[in-house]
Amino acid sequence: MDRRRKGLMSERLKYELAEELGVADLVRREGWGSVSSRDCGNLVRLAIERAERAMIQG
């Protein structure tokens, strides 16, 4: 049986963050696997910052 974890971030959010970091074109051309570990970490950092801001704002 194929069991895959459901992602926590929507595809839309991932692409928004990729645009913000300037790697969206790379993702479109080559896929998420071509994004460096550093940039992936930065995507997570941005997502956490957004979530924290959303919690503060209510």
Side-chain angles (χ1 to χ4, degrees), residues 3-50:
R3 290 185 179 188
R4 295 187 182 187
R5 279 184 45 188
K6 182 176 177 169
L8 297 176
M9 284 195 279
S10 69
E11 287 298 308
R12 180 176 159 216
L13 176 58
K14 286 193 273 188
Y15 276 101
E16 283 178 23
L17 297 173
E19 286 283 349
E20 195 170 324
L21 283 176
V23 297
D25 289 335
L26 177 65
V27 172
R28 283 189 206 80
R29 278 193 322 267
E30 301 178 25
W32 287 104
S34 62
V35 179
S36 71
S37 296
R38 176 176 287 188
D39 285 334
C40 286
N42 288 333
L43 286 168
V44 171
R45 182 183 50 79
L46 285 175
I48 291 169
E49 287 174 4
R50 280 192 182 193

